[in-house]
Structures are given as structure tokens and as C-alpha cells.
Amino acid sequence: MQRFYVLDGFRGIAALIVVLYHYIGPEDYPFLANSYIALDMFFVLSGFVIYHSYARRLRSGMSAGTYINQRFARLAPTVAIGVLFGAIATLAYYNSTGQEVDATRFALVHAGHLLFIPGLVDYNDPATGIFELFPSNGPLWSIFFEFVASVCFIWFVRMRRRALLIGSLACFIILFLGACYVTLTTGRLLTPGVGFAPEHFLLGFPRVFASFLAGMLIYALTQEAPRYLTRRLPVSRGLLPAFGIYGVMLAMLFFPFHMSGVYPFLGVVVLCPLLITVGARIQPQVRWFNWISDYLGQVSFPLYCIHVPVFLLVKTYLADAPWKIQVVVSLGAAFGASVLILALIESMRVRQNVTKLLKPVLG
């Protein structure tokens, strides 16, 4: 199948930016203020790539069970490692601070996480209240919503382009109105960055569906349109356009001004879909560039799933070290662990084994 190496590079670079966002935060580094919209770019990429990989097969007779089996096997092993890292890091931190944990609730919450189920109960004793849906590994909330969107793809794939456009715009409107409601009731800044906590959990659905449907629409318009239209869309095959679009991506994610919520919504609604549209038409014919982009795309998923627990472990056991040392050690440890996890999953054929295990149930 055709590969979109620039989009693979997008995924890898965006994952590194998310890591920086979580490690050093936007408080002292304003250029990270809007970098969280990298998650919305992930959702657009998912819609584009899943459409590319599965639309034709589903339309040709692939069963829903087989499709869900393959999607679950693709995500579950790495998510399970992230859940394990999160549990270990959380227990280590609580032990170092003398906090107690309700063992039964702790086990139930993390067992649910293995199936992408958010934790909606507190396992602290005394209770402190859960701020995030995945309290021991916060970033996994987006994997939950992405998996929901990928399951819904079974129905989305039957939609025509006009329906995809209307559905995406409707979800954007719901997201904006919901974010306005959250701002009015909580005093929170107006932002599309919702869905990760119980108080705005439901807004995660329009957030992911808006971008996911946009990604599907981009593929349908640029890759499946009649040839007399697609051949008029420019395709660039050099390195200069590739590095140029990477520079545009960095400028978009490192834009330092919030503009009362205008910029992040503009990024989600316009800039992220536009970036994917242009990036998909850049196809360098340089082997080393494509290899690096492909590898960055592959390692981005384990990096995303483990970087927060790694940081918590480093802060727990290097509590007296300067925070810059903690960040540098965490970056190195997270990237090294991600490379190792990717190699182990590939060498042990973990995804293929999960698929075989679930085949009698899902097909």
C-alpha cells in the first residue's frame, strides 16, 4: 500500500512535543501554550490513516469483528505496558509520600484500563478526587477516545463525503459550545482541550469525532476523488517541501499566544486538517528520510504511552535533583524505553499473537 512518510514524521514530532508539554509545561515556556492541539492532529491522522488502511477492506467484505480484532491488537499491547508503568510509578510515588491506596479499587481501575476503560472511582485513602480519567497515566485518555472513534469507523466508512463534512462541522460546533459552557461554569480558559477529566468527559466525543471525520474527509477528497481532480493536486517529491511542512507544523504547535481561545480552536478546525492535507501530498523519494520518518512514527506510540509514568518515577527517585536534570533523564529514559518496547513487540510478534487469541471471539 502507498505510504505517507511525511505523516509518519508528523506523528513522531507531535509525540515529542506532547512529551515536552507534559515535562516542562507552558507556565514558564509560553511557546508550549497551544502545543496540546498536537492531540487533535493525532485524531486527524488517525481518521486519514484508518480510512487508507481499512476502508476498501471493509467495503470488500471484512467483518466488523475482524476489523475490531486488528485495531485492538494494534493498540492493546502498548497500552497494557503503559498501564503497568503507570501502576508501578503511582505506587512508588505514594509509598515515597506516605499516601495510602485502596488496593481493591486500585486493582479494578487498572484492570479496566487494560480494556481502555476510564477510571471513575478514587483509589486513594483518604479520598482525594480523581482529576483525570486515567489517574496513573493521564495521556491514555486520548487512546480511549481514539479507540472509540476507530470502532465507529465501521459505520463512518459508509458515509458520503457530504455527510463526513456535515458530521465533522457539527461536532466542531458541539465542541465549541461545550467548551464555552465549561468556561462559564468553571472560569476555565476557553479551550478545545477537554475530555481528559470527569467534569468534561462527554466533550471528548465531539472533540475526537470532529477531527477523526475531518481526517476521513481529507483522504476521500485527496486520494479517492476522480483522477481528473487528483492529478491536478500538486505532489512534491523533494526534501525541501518535507522540511518546510515540518517547519510549518512546529510553528503551528509552538505559537505562543492563546488569543482568548481563538487560536487553539483555529488550530483544531483549520490548521491541523490543512497541515495533514498538504503533508499527504509531499512524498519524498529519499530512502534515509523515509526510514527516519517511519521509525519516528512507530516509536511515537510507546513514547506517548509511557512518558508520564517515566517522569513520575524519575521525580520520585531523583527528588533532590534539579528539575532540568529530571527532565533530561526522563527524556532519555522514556525514548530509550520506547525503542526497547517497540523492538520487543515486533520481535515477539505480540500483535499477531493477540489477533490469534481473539480470533475465535471476534473473527
Side-chain angles (χ1 to χ4, degrees):
M1 297 181 68
Q2 180 184 1
R3 292 294 305 275
F4 298 93
Y5 290 106
V6 168
L7 301 190
D8 290 331
F10 279 169
R11 193 181 295 275
I13 295 171
L16 290 171
I17 292 173
V18 169
V19 172
L20 288 178
Y21 179 82
H22 288 147
Y23 280 9
I24 65 178
E27 291 79 11
D28 297 321
Y29 296 89
F31 68 90
L32 290 172
N34 297 296
S35 57
Y36 64 88
I37 63 174
L39 290 180
D40 301 277
M41 193 170 73
F42 285 148
F43 296 148
V44 180
L45 281 167
S46 293
F48 185 97
V49 171
I50 290 176
Y51 195 107
H52 173 66
S53 301
Y54 292 101
R56 186 171 299 177
R57 285 190 273 177
L58 283 169
R59 290 167 179 167
S60 300
M62 172 185 273
S63 70
T66 299
Y67 165 75
I68 293 174
N69 186 351
Q70 293 188 13
R71 290 305 303 159
F72 184 80
R74 168 71 178 83
L75 301 175
T78 311
V79 169
I81 294 172
V83 171
L84 179 62
F85 267 66
I88 293 172
T90 301
L91 289 176
Y93 174 74
Y94 283 172
N95 182 65
S96 70
T97 58
Q99 296 185 61
E100 298 181 7
V101 174
D102 185 316
T104 300
R105 288 189 174 187
F106 188 88
L108 288 174
V109 166
H110 287 83
H113 288 351
L114 296 175
L115 298 174
F116 309 152
I117 299 173
L120 298 176
V121 296
D122 195 344
Y123 49 70
N124 289 4
D125 185 21
T128 59
I130 287 180
F131 176 68
E132 296 180 329
L133 297 175
F134 289 77
S136 64
N137 193 346
L140 295 183
W141 73 269
S142 66
I143 307 300
F144 160 75
F145 283 108
E146 184 173 333
F147 183 69
V148 171
S150 66
V151 170
C152 292
F153 179 77
I154 297 168
W155 295 276
F156 291 161
V157 74
R158 304 172 186 174
M159 297 168 64
R160 297 182 181 273
R161 294 167 192 157
R162 180 178 298 179
L164 290 173
L165 175 61
I166 294 173
S168 181
L169 291 176
C171 288
F172 279 129
I173 292 171
I174 294 171
L175 172 62
F176 177 74
L177 294 176
C180 289
Y181 175 78
V182 172
T183 297
L184 291 173
T185 55
T186 66
R188 194 168 176 256
L189 286 175
L190 181 62
T191 171
V194 292
F196 59 86
E199 57 263 32
H200 42 71
F201 165 67
L202 293 178
L203 289 178
F205 292 102
R207 182 180 181 184
V208 66
F209 288 148
S211 295
F212 189 88
L213 290 171
M216 291 179 59
L217 178 63
I218 291 168
Y219 189 93
L221 289 175
T222 61
Q223 308 297 322
E224 287 190 340
R227 185 173 294 274
Y228 72 86
L229 290 178
T230 57
R231 69 186 179 188
R232 298 186 181 185
L233 296 173
V235 176
S236 301
R237 302 192 183 280
L239 283 179
L240 186 59
F243 285 119
I245 198 67
Y246 284 165
V248 171
M249 173 193 173
L250 291 175
M252 180 190 78
L253 295 179
F254 286 156
F255 188 77
F257 305 108
H258 187 261
M259 297 168 56
S260 300
V262 173
Y263 180 77
F265 275 100
L266 178 67
V268 172
V269 177
V270 178
L271 298 182
C272 286
L274 186 59
L275 195 72
I276 304 306
T277 302
V278 176
R281 306 301 295 180
I282 300 175
Q283 299 170 4
Q285 304 298 303
V286 181
R287 183 173 299 178
W288 65 264
F289 175 88
N290 291 342
W291 184 88
I292 292 174
S293 298
D294 176 47
Y295 191 78
L296 280 175
Q298 291 186 55
V299 82
S300 66
F301 187 45
L303 178 63
Y304 184 78
C305 286
I306 69 165
H307 72 277
V308 167
V310 167
F311 193 36
L312 182 57
L313 283 171
V314 170
K315 290 195 295 182
T316 298
Y317 291 108
L318 295 180
D320 296 329
W323 74 268
K324 291 184 179 179
I325 298 297
Q326 293 178 350
V327 169
V328 171
V329 171
S330 299
L331 283 171
F335 193 83
S338 301
V339 170
L340 180 60
I341 290 168
L342 180 63
L344 288 175
I345 287 176
E346 293 296 331
S347 64
M348 298 175 64
R349 299 176 60 85
V350 174
R351 293 166 183 157
Q352 294 86 338
N353 291 331
V354 172
T355 299
K356 291 179 182 178
L357 181 65
L358 296 177
K359 190 171 183 178
V361 179
L362 295 175

